[in-house]
């Protein structure tokens, strides 16, 4: 597959433009807060979740532009979660994406508040979509995925876990909630944005779940964390490949419309450490 950045260039350009549009300029009062918000969003990482939302939207019959506000909202939630996760009371990370973490650059109070404001902005952005029924469904999906029974629930479980007695069910719970729910929501929100029928939303839900699990497994292999504590590298690799293969089978019936979604699954497969391109069909 062509390099991720060039293959998804049109998506990535549109996502950056949308984020640029919705984030208040740092010249707007309170400048320090808007600067900290922008600092945490630009330059971004892979933008995997909004890319997934746009690809899911196209795969289910929409145009990528239909999912831009949904994608931006998801990325704002992702950015807030990283800002808060880096705080001294959580992971206490000094660096993020090769630069100082938000609290190291702006102070702890400003980082906490920038995270709050990114979270709040995400839901405001969803109201820019001119379809009230879709907005309601998108708010429900995003709030459920990122709330106490989703991403935050997973983070709390991760904090609580006894690191000397890790087991697979607990790691699955953490992975599914902390990482998987927002990735699943990205796929489902793409389908909501395309006004897809329930069958397609169900398909995106399954696809997103599988991809979310694979994403965390691969991340743990790269970071030698999480699953890497209880599984051998080969086992995690096989598990990730199996999840991705299942995900790809799930969207096969969508045909050519899903070519970019299929490619996203391949992109993940290619992130599995220790291998060149693998076919996961
Ligand atoms: C503290 C509210 C709160 C939530 C914490 C998502 C999360 C939950 C914490 C972030 C830390 C972490 C390593 C989570 C696992 C999910 C994950 C792999 C995040 C990194 O996502 P990428 O790889 O990052 O998409 P980029 O930089 O590409 O955006």
């Amino acid at each position: 597959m062509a390099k991720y950045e060039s293959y998804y260039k049109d998506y990535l350009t549109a996502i950056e433009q949308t984020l640029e549009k919705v984030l208040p300029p740092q010249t707007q009062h309170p400048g320090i807060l808007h600067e900290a918000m922008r600092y945490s969003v630009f330059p971004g990482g892979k933008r995997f979740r909004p890319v997934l939302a746009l690809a899911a939207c196209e795969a289910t019959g929409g145009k990528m532009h239909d999912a831009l506000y949904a994608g931006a909202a998801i990325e704002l939630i992702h950015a807030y979660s990283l800002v808060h996760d880096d705080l001294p009371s959580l992971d206490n990370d000094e660096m993020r994406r090769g630069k100082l973490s938000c609290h190291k650059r702006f102070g702890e109070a400003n980082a906490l508040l920038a995270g709050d404001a990114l979270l709040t902005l995400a839901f405001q952005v969803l109201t820019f979509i001119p379809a009230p029924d879709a907005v309601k469904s998108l708010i429900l999906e995003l709030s459920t995925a990122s709330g106490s029974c989703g991403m935050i629930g997973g983070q709390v479980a991760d904090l609580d876990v006894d690191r000397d007695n890790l087991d697979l069910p607990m790691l699955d719970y953490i992975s599914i909630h902390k990482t998987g729910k927002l990735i699943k929501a990205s796929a489902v929100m793409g389908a909501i944005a395309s006004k897809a029928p329930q069958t397609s939303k169900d398909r995106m839900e399954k696809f997103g779940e599988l991809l979310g699990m694979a994403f965390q497994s691969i991340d743990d292999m790269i970071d030698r964390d999480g699953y890497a504590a209880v599984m051998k590298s080969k086992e995690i690799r096989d598990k990730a490949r199996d999840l991705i293969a299942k995900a790809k089978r799930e969207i096969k019936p969508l045909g050519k419309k899903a070519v970019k979604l299929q490619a996203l699954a391949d992109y993940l497969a290619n992130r599995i450490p220790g291998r060149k391109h693998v076919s996961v069909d």
Side-chain angles (χ1 to χ4, degrees):
M1 153 182 172
K3 233 174 141 240
Y4 176 84
E5 288 76 15
S6 47
Y7 186 78
Y8 292 106
K9 191 167 190 283
D10 54 343
Y11 283 15
L12 292 166
T13 303
I15 291 162
E16 295 311 302
Q17 284 170 350
T18 308
L19 288 166
E20 179 57 48
K21 188 168 82 180
V22 301
L23 275 152
Q26 66 189 59
T27 48
Q28 187 172 328
H29 186 74
I32 187 72
L33 182 68
H34 294 139
E35 191 185 349
M37 290 164 76
R38 286 178 159 271
Y39 179 87
S40 308
V41 173
F42 304 117
K46 297 177 286 299
R47 307 288 196 212
F48 180 80
R49 295 155 191 80
V51 166
L52 171 56
L54 268 54
C57 182
E58 283 192 331
T60 54
K63 300 258 178 288
M64 67 124 164
H65 282 97
D66 298 333
L68 276 174
Y69 284 133
I74 296 161
E75 188 67 12
L76 291 170
I77 296 277
H78 173 60
Y80 122 75
S81 79
L82 298 180
V83 171
H84 281 192
D85 194 59
D86 288 341
L87 287 169
S89 51
L90 285 139
D91 264 10
N92 194 17
D93 273 321
E94 297 197 351
M95 302 294 287
R96 165 73 56 189
R97 296 174 179 152
K99 62 182 190 181
L100 289 176
S101 52
C102 188
H103 69 276
K104 276 284 157 194
R105 170 73 176 73
F106 295 94
E108 205 174 321
N110 282 328
L112 188 72
L113 294 167
D116 291 342
L118 289 166
L119 164 63
T120 317
L121 180 63
F123 290 97
Q124 186 181 353
V125 166
L126 290 179
T127 70
F128 301 162
I129 298 164
D133 286 351
V135 171
K136 189 177 166 193
S137 302
L138 290 165
I139 288 174
L140 180 62
E141 187 64 35
L142 189 57
S143 57
T144 308
S146 53
S148 61
C149 297
M151 180 181 75
I152 296 178
Q155 177 68 17
V156 170
D158 199 6
L159 286 176
D160 268 358
V161 80
D162 175 0
R163 307 248 158 231
D164 295 327
N165 286 300
L166 286 171
D167 60 32
L168 217 43
M170 180 46 84
L171 283 165
D172 281 344
Y173 180 90
I174 293 169
S175 160
I176 288 167
H177 290 79
K178 184 170 131 171
T179 309
K181 294 284 183 187
L182 199 57
I183 290 180
K184 186 210 76 173
S186 307
V188 174
M189 288 170 73
I192 295 171
S194 80
K195 302 195 173 67
Q198 191 58 44
T199 47
S200 296
K201 286 184 203 150
D202 292 346
R203 205 175 277 293
M204 284 306 118
E205 181 153 356
K206 191 80 204 138
F207 176 81
E209 263 169 24
L210 292 161
L211 219 60
M213 286 285 284
F215 190 98
Q216 185 60 56
S217 308
I218 295 165
D219 212 62
D220 285 351
M221 279 185 83
I222 294 169
D223 293 347
R224 297 174 190 282
D225 197 9
Y227 286 113
V230 298
M231 289 167 78
K232 296 194 176 85
S233 290
K234 183 183 178 320
E235 287 175 319
I236 313 180
R237 183 180 298 129
D238 289 347
K239 176 185 158 149
R241 291 189 66 200
D242 184 50
L243 289 163
I244 293 168
K246 282 195 181 118
K248 291 189 71 176
R249 279 200 292 278
E250 187 63 35
I251 56 171
K252 209 158 190 170
L254 296 172
K256 276 190 147 180
K257 299 194 302 292
V259 63
K260 286 197 167 156
L261 204 54
Q262 295 278 4
L264 202 55
D266 285 334
Y267 162 73
L268 263 197
N270 278 304
R271 291 192 77 224
I272 297 174
R275 309 210 139 201
K276 296 255 181 283
H277 180 79
V278 283
S279 169
V280 290
D281 286 322

